Amino acid sequence: MSTALLNGDPTFLGLPVRKKLDHIVFGLTDDGARAELKERMDGAVPYDSVTVFPFSDTGDPWYWAGIYEDLARIKPGLFVLDNVIGALAPPGEDIASSVTAQRLVNSLRPIGDLGIPTLLVTHTPKGTGEGMSVASSPIGGRALGAAARGLIALRNSGKQGRRLQTALNRATEELDIPVTMRRASAENEVPVWERIEPA
């Protein structure tokens, strides 16, 4: 999705890309994720169109203030926080708790006030997640869903294969798109998601 936005592709998974982005900022919580993302994105998107920084909220009340300041200076077209569970302070909080989810949403709200859209990435439950609604699929999805414009779940749906499903709070249509993934090339590990067209 990031490469489609940064390269000004006309569509992504058959859906129109309405606006080309010049810059995306990734806040990554996993060790090694920064190097992996850099390797994936090098040569796949315009030079200097991606900024990556390690994200680790220690509970210091000034931490988020520094994030807001940096994002206000960079003015990206999108901020991606990957992943939500790794961004919680203190670590080990229950993201499915409405209190925890509301605190995270309150921390992210000033980013939206800067006019910067935010994409939160989280994990889905294993096994028991199948058959649940899109809104409850991500861990904390129900708690975060009330404040989010929409939720997107990439799911393995048994015999139906991988599907990208959405639950949008402010739209008239929900999507259920069959998808597949391949590497961009033998040398490039950027995952290319493609819509599976009906036979």
Side-chain angles (χ1 to χ4, degrees):
M1 184 181 74
S2 298
T3 59
L5 290 168
L6 291 170
N7 291 329
D9 293 352
T11 62
F12 176 67
L13 298 180
L15 304 170
V17 175
R18 302 189 190 282
K19 181 180 178 183
K20 179 185 183 297
L21 300 185
D22 295 323
H23 203 107
I24 296 178
V25 171
F26 289 86
L28 303 178
T29 65
D30 290 348
D31 291 339
R34 186 175 186 170
E36 181 182 341
L37 183 66
K38 181 176 180 350
E39 184 180 335
R40 286 181 170 194
M41 301 299 268
D42 272 355
V45 296
Y47 181 72
D48 273 353
S49 63
V50 172
T51 299
V52 181
F53 61 83
F55 192 98
S56 176
D57 183 1
T58 60
D60 180 342
W62 296 105
Y63 183 80
W64 281 98
I67 298 293
Y68 309 145
E69 189 176 300
D70 288 345
L71 291 174
R73 179 178 45 79
I74 297 170
K75 295 188 175 115
L78 177 66
F79 172 62
V80 179
L81 178 58
D82 185 3
N83 65 57
V84 168
I85 294 170
L88 299 179
E93 279 191 304
D94 181 8
I95 189 55
S97 156
S98 58
V99 173
T100 303
Q102 189 60 53
R103 187 166 53 246
L104 180 64
V105 167
N106 289 343
S107 296
L108 292 165
R109 188 163 284 129
I111 298 172
D113 293 343
L114 292 169
I116 301 168
T118 302
L119 174 64
L120 305 179
V121 179
T122 189
H123 300 287
T124 56
K126 305 295 183 203
T128 58
E130 297 310 321
M132 298 170 71
S133 70
V134 174
S136 64
S137 290
I139 295 173
R142 285 192 191 281
L144 291 169
R149 177 173 290 175
L151 296 168
I152 305 168
L154 178 64
R155 304 175 66 191
N156 280 324
S157 298
K159 294 178 182 177
Q160 297 181 9
R162 282 184 171 151
R163 306 188 77 78
L164 187 83
Q165 299 174 321
T166 64
L168 304 172
N169 288 344
R170 300 178 191 140
T172 56
E173 174 186 17
E174 292 186 358
L175 302 174
D176 184 358
I177 303 171
V179 295
T180 186
M181 192 272 287
R182 64 174 173 81
R183 288 171 59 151
S185 69
E187 300 80 31
N188 188 335
E189 291 191 18
V190 172
V192 177
W193 292 94
E194 296 175 326
R195 187 176 193 139
I196 300 174
E197 298 299 338

